[in-house]
Amino acid sequence: MNPDLHRTRVRFAPSPTGYLHVGGARTALFSWLFARHTGGDFILRIEDTDFERSSDEMVTGILDGLRWLGIDWDEGPFYQSQRLGLYTQTARKLLESGHAYHCFCTKEELELRRATAAESRAVPRYDGRCRSIPAAEATQRLARGERAAVRFMVPREGVTAFDDAVFGRLEFANAELEDFVLLRSDGIPTYHLSVVADDLDMRMTHILRGADHISNTPKQILQYQALGASLPVFAHVPLILGPDKTRLSKRHGATSVLAYKDMGIVPEAFRNFLAVLGWSPGEAARQPDGRDRELFSTEELIEMFSLNGIAHSNAVFNNDKLAWYNTEYIRAYDPARLLPLIEEEWRHAQYQPTRSREEILAAIPLLQQRARSLKDFASTFLAYFGDEFAMDPAAVEKFLGDAAVRSLLTELGQRYATLEPFTEASTEQTLREFAAEKGVKAGALINGARVALTGQGVAPSLFTVMLCLGRERVVQRLQAAKQIA
Ligand code: GLU
């Protein structure tokens, strides 16, 4: 037996008429997880037959978004614009077997009829008038140069049904479907034709896509049947809603995946967040305390993924949850793996650290615990990476507003200049003794020093920070405290 007969093949088929949005990315992720879980193939196909609205720039954006999420593909990207011959050929097969016909109605005629239907509140559906044109007559008219579209001849009776892997049995009355266009009069296929021709040609076994495509599925199934092909498994994934329970859109904030990258979200966090947006591993994730686990490595996601876990109801995009995932993942990163992501932020901010790689790698663990996003590493954390950093004006006012504190810090800096050895314990002892000697609270000096050293009112333990910055920087920054106005 041919083992390939049982190999699953799934695809992601974006139209490059927009960027990779959250819903598309989730469909891609589910498809990819399913392919990887089943040891099958994941195919990338760019559905770019809408020549006016598709662009290379969007394709690049989609590929970049997938790569950022760590989604790789085994075949493709295939471009539908380069496969037009297959669609014409498929349309011809359907014509020859009597499942399709040429339609000579012009755009103007169709528009007029649609408007009339709208007036009488009828469903604007193609009335099938060109069905009755005998094939020989159609051939003659085409030979005379008349232009025609190719329409699928939908049976007037009966139902088209399928078992959706998520929604169960779905049935559609054929009478409700119109004779839809397969090939436009300019020879360009519609989505309905190209998707079926390609899914067959590429031997797809499973089709995962957004639930907004459910109503398209009977039109595709009718073509499978007309072509004598067996059906793939369809799994429609419920929609993603905004917090107000309407379909996720720009009104709710960013919908482009790469916009989240630009916001300083780490890819693993976004992937984990997306994976559980409308999918759950069920019992497998139940912890002894009864709560569900939420953090899953990619390997675990692959291991646990199944179509059964896809939710039947719409998912709600929760920004706080995403922020939580982001902090959890940033915290868990190995500093050496986090550094390239931080460096990308620096490039964006046109910032160049002046400290060595070793020093930077030593500083990262102190900051990971406090980071809300990668952005922090290119803003509030800059004091750890070089000598150019901004002071938070509110922190300066609160902790360095007192000129006496500022000059005490300068003096403390001088003591540190000769302190031997320069350790966490010795720096702390020196500060406390100095405070006692001057009759001030150690806390006032600690708070002031924190701002002078890091520019921020909150930071990791001050003496750890001192060690991380090194004696020279500590002395220099404390001595400069006097000049802070
Ligand atoms: N190009 C379609 C879309 O982006 C693909 C739908 C499908 O997966 O069949 O919505």
Side-chain angles (χ1 to χ4, degrees), residues 29-312:
L29 179 61
F30 284 9
S31 304
W32 180 81
L33 287 173
F34 183 68
R36 294 292 171 261
H37 175 83
T38 54
D41 297 317
F42 179 65
I43 291 106
L44 180 58
R45 182 172 77 223
I46 305 294
E47 304 210 319
D48 58 347
T49 53
D50 184 342
F51 297 117
E52 263 159 40
R53 291 173 58 229
S54 302
S55 73
D56 291 347
E57 198 188 322
M58 292 303 175
V59 173
T60 310
I62 291 170
L63 301 188
D64 286 350
L66 292 174
R67 287 193 193 104
W68 179 67
L69 278 171
I71 295 177
D72 58 348
W73 46 94
D74 306 302
E75 293 170 29
F78 297 107
Y79 293 83
Q80 288 193 325
S81 57
Q82 294 168 11
R83 300 167 54 83
L84 297 177
L86 174 72
Y87 315 132
T88 328
Q89 210 183 324
T90 310
R92 197 175 308 135
K93 268 192 210 160
L94 291 166
L95 281 165
E96 280 164 7
S97 63
H99 290 97
Y101 61 92
H102 283 106
C103 169
F104 294 89
C105 298
T106 63
K107 207 168 133 200
E108 292 71 29
E109 287 167 343
L110 293 169
E111 261 159 29
L112 194 68
R113 281 180 233 151
R114 208 168 291 138
T116 320
E119 263 168 40
S120 59
R121 293 178 186 277
V123 184
R125 212 178 276 144
Y126 180 66
D127 58 11
R129 69 178 63 195
C130 291
R131 271 184 178 215
S132 52
I133 299 175
E137 185 187 327
T139 313
Q140 271 178 11
R141 287 174 71 172
L142 289 170
R144 279 203 306 265
E146 256 192 87
R147 290 159 67 92
V150 176
R151 284 186 187 269
F152 189 86
M153 200 181 291
V154 176
R156 291 238 157 97
E157 280 152 18
V159 291
T160 298
F162 66 101
D163 292 307
D164 189 274
V166 176
F167 288 93
R169 184 96 181 144
L170 295 174
E171 286 191 358
F172 299 81
N174 291 335
E176 300 290 317
L177 308 172
E178 71 171 351
D179 285 353
F180 55 92
V181 173
L182 296 166
L183 212 52
R184 281 183 264 267
S185 59
D186 58 5
I188 302 302
T190 59
Y191 156 69
H192 297 303
L193 172 63
S194 53
V195 78
V196 170
D198 274 342
D199 286 339
L200 273 174
D201 186 61
M202 298 178 183
R203 306 185 321 281
M204 295 303 156
T205 60
H206 293 73
I207 294 185
L208 279 77
R209 62 184 172 199
D212 47 336
H213 283 290
I214 288 181
S215 62
N216 292 328
T217 309
K219 297 180 186 168
Q220 297 171 16
I221 289 179
L222 285 168
Q223 292 177 73
Y224 278 92
Q225 291 167 344
L227 292 164
S230 51
L231 294 184
V233 173
F234 289 96
H236 287 94
V237 183
L239 303 180
I240 302 178
L241 308 180
D244 61 355
K245 308 284 159 67
T246 63
R247 195 169 172 178
L248 189 70
S249 75
K250 283 195 182 138
R251 280 179 301 115
H252 300 109
T255 54
S256 149
V257 166
L258 289 177
Y260 287 94
K261 174 184 187 227
D262 293 342
M263 279 181 223
I265 307 282
V266 293
E268 282 84 352
F270 200 72
R271 183 167 58 205
N272 193 154
F273 168 76
L274 269 190
V276 297
L277 197 58
W279 171 79
S280 130
E283 285 299 317
R286 193 80 16 96
Q287 303 180 116
D289 66 2
R291 293 193 318 170
D292 283 345
R293 254 181 74 198
E294 297 183 288
L295 293 168
F296 302 103
S297 69
T298 307
E299 292 69 33
E300 288 172 316
L301 289 173
I302 291 173
E303 159 104 34
M304 292 171 152
F305 191 81
S306 80
L307 300 182
N308 293 337
I310 298 177
H312 298 200

Side-chain angles (χ1 to χ4, degrees), residues 169-481:
R169 184 96 181 144
L170 295 174
E171 286 191 358
F172 299 81
N174 291 335
E176 300 290 317
L177 308 172
E178 71 171 351
D179 285 353
F180 55 92
V181 173
L182 296 166
L183 212 52
R184 281 183 264 267
S185 59
D186 58 5
I188 302 302
T190 59
Y191 156 69
H192 297 303
L193 172 63
S194 53
V195 78
V196 170
D198 274 342
D199 286 339
L200 273 174
D201 186 61
M202 298 178 183
R203 306 185 321 281
M204 295 303 156
T205 60
H206 293 73
I207 294 185
L208 279 77
R209 62 184 172 199
D212 47 336
H213 283 290
I214 288 181
S215 62
N216 292 328
T217 309
K219 297 180 186 168
Q220 297 171 16
I221 289 179
L222 285 168
Q223 292 177 73
Y224 278 92
Q225 291 167 344
L227 292 164
S230 51
L231 294 184
V233 173
F234 289 96
H236 287 94
V237 183
L239 303 180
I240 302 178
L241 308 180
D244 61 355
K245 308 284 159 67
T246 63
R247 195 169 172 178
L248 189 70
S249 75
K250 283 195 182 138
R251 280 179 301 115
H252 300 109
T255 54
S256 149
V257 166
L258 289 177
Y260 287 94
K261 174 184 187 227
D262 293 342
M263 279 181 223
I265 307 282
V266 293
E268 282 84 352
F270 200 72
R271 183 167 58 205
N272 193 154
F273 168 76
L274 269 190
V276 297
L277 197 58
W279 171 79
S280 130
E283 285 299 317
R286 193 80 16 96
Q287 303 180 116
D289 66 2
R291 293 193 318 170
D292 283 345
R293 254 181 74 198
E294 297 183 288
L295 293 168
F296 302 103
S297 69
T298 307
E299 292 69 33
E300 288 172 316
L301 289 173
I302 291 173
E303 159 104 34
M304 292 171 152
F305 191 81
S306 80
L307 300 182
N308 293 337
I310 298 177
H312 298 200
S313 51
N314 294 331
V316 177
F317 191 97
N318 179 340
N319 268 307
D320 295 337
K321 194 90 226 184
L322 176 57
W324 176 80
Y325 273 109
N326 205 36
T327 51
E328 290 293 320
Y329 271 89
I330 290 179
R331 233 171 250 181
Y333 263 98
D334 181 73
R337 280 197 55 226
L338 192 58
L339 184 54
L341 300 177
I342 296 173
E343 285 169 336
E344 204 176 326
E345 289 299 324
W346 288 342
R347 266 195 300 280
H348 276 294
Q350 298 190 332
Y351 169 78
Q352 282 226 318
T354 49
R355 302 193 71 193
S356 71
R357 187 182 153 85
E358 286 64 41
E359 289 174 321
I360 290 170
L361 284 175
I364 290 175
L366 297 186
L367 304 167
Q368 280 173 288
Q369 303 307 317
R370 310 183 157 261
R372 286 156 305 147
S373 95
L374 286 174
K375 289 265 164 269
D376 291 333
F377 291 89
S379 56
T380 49
F381 297 163
L382 285 187
Y384 299 83
F385 308 125
D387 294 314
E388 236 176 273
F389 59 95
M391 292 262 170
D392 171 18
V396 171
E397 196 185 311
K398 188 163 175 201
F399 298 118
L400 290 175
D402 184 347
V405 171
R406 294 202 299 270
S407 75
L408 284 174
L409 289 176
T410 302
E411 205 181 323
L412 176 65
Q414 279 150 12
R415 300 232 174 149
Y416 282 146
T418 53
L419 177 66
E420 274 311 334
F422 189 81
T423 63
E424 272 185 53
S426 73
T427 48
E428 175 163 7
Q429 196 190 349
T430 304
L431 184 142
R432 293 195 186 279
E433 283 171 8
F434 180 74
E437 181 189 318
K438 301 288 176 184
V440 295
K441 284 208 180 87
L445 294 183
I446 289 175
N447 287 335
R450 184 178 296 119
V451 182
L453 296 181
T454 69
Q456 301 294 315
V458 283
S461 153
L462 179 67
F463 306 101
T464 318
V465 169
M466 286 191 183
L467 214 67
C468 166
L469 292 176
R471 180 205 300 274
E472 223 174 288
R473 282 196 169 74
V474 170
V475 170
Q476 183 253 323
R477 289 180 193 179
L478 288 178
Q479 291 198 328

